Amino acid sequence: MGARERYGLTEVVNAHGTFTPLGVSRSSAGVAAAVAEALPEFFVMNELADRAGVALAAATGAEAGAITHCTAASITLAVAAAMTGTDPRRIALLPDATDMHNRVVLPAGHVVSYGQSILQAVRLSGASVILAGSSETRCTTADLDDALSVDDVSCLLLVSSRLVHGEPVDLVAAVKAAHRRGVPAIIDGAAQFPRTADLLATGADLVLVSGQKYLASPTAGLVVGSRRLVQAVRAQENGIGRGMKATKEAMVGVLTALEEWQAMDRAKWEADQDAKVSTFLAAVDQLPGLSAEILPDPTGLPLSRVLLKVAAGIDSAKLAAELQTGSPAVFVLPQPDALVLELVPLDPHEVQTVVNRLVQALQALQN
Ligand SMILES: *Cc1c(COP(=O)(O)O)cnc(C)c1O
């Protein structure tokens, strides 16, 4: 009997995506087995962390890598690293960053919330934020230059995510602007594991990715980039990073998930995802009141979602709520007049369950 049955918890079909309130992702049987084997063992934790760092660097092409508890932790610790380097005195002083370069430049449109505002993840380190941009939705390279011209800037923080708003910020130009001032650039690409190499190719000094999102490892923050900053991130473990450390099971899980990722036939994976989306579209085509189309990922991830448009007279929020109240509870992302579904972690049987529950939910709304 699994934990869900033993504790009487809701049966979930997650068509929302890599969503933290639903447990994010499904680890493979291989990752689960490696974690189960690791839990009763002791390790020299620094040795395990070194080994994980080497694997991360090899898998992403970065100079170095480290693991933290999660990407929210990585944001706090990357900013801390930019302020303190590996200086033990400064590390011990945080979150009092009074005498350090302690301001972080962030494009206004990159103030995202993933359950916590990214502003708070920065402030937890002791740093404060300078928002760059002529408006909340527009931040040009000149705006960044302006914000970076203050002399106590510790780093530039950028976000690569579908959560950002406004006109896209040119990440390559932004990183260049920071480097012209001798300031390191950090990119939060939490839900972009398959694009890690692209994000590193912008020239960013650190790229932060969540292990538990598209790598489907246990919860872990993957930090890759320059050796100097990666070491400074790890050094925070004797300071504010104590409560943000990676567990042995996370590190072993990431190592195994990276091996599986590298051995995987990427083209076949993409074709499998496309096939699920096509099957779903064909099934929904038969349902009155709905029309579905393929929604490519706006950030360039190699996967598509389903945009399910509802006919006039159907409330998309009510339809989403109805899907959630049945059994199994089907979670989707409601939008105005539409639902967005991500099918990546679902097996074909669950895709059919989503179709069946949609039929039921539409009927329930009509009664
Ligand atoms: C999910 C997410 C985070 C937080 O990642 P965790 O690993 O859950 O802490 C941060 N930034 C963005 C853009 C995210 O999507």
Side-chain angles (χ1 to χ4, degrees), residues 41-52 234 248 251:
E41 298 289 334
F42 293 109
F43 294 90
V44 176
M45 288 300 281
N46 265 330
E47 195 180 270
L48 179 56
D50 287 346
R51 187 63 193 80
R234 272 184 71 180
K248 60 186 176 184
M251 289 197 258

Side-chain angles (χ1 to χ4, degrees), residues 20 70-72 75 112 114 159 161 163 188 190-191 210 212-213:
T20 306
C70 65
T71 298
I75 294 165
V112 295
Y114 41 81
V159 179
S161 163
L163 298 174
D188 166 14
S210 296
Q212 76 276 17
K213 289 183 176 173

Side-chain angles (χ1 to χ4, degrees), residues 78-79 82 101 103-106 148 153-157 178 183-186:
V79 169
H101 285 191
R103 300 220 277 172
V104 175
V105 173
L106 178 72
L148 288 161
V153 172
S154 66
C155 62
L156 168 67
L157 180 59
V183 167
I186 299 162

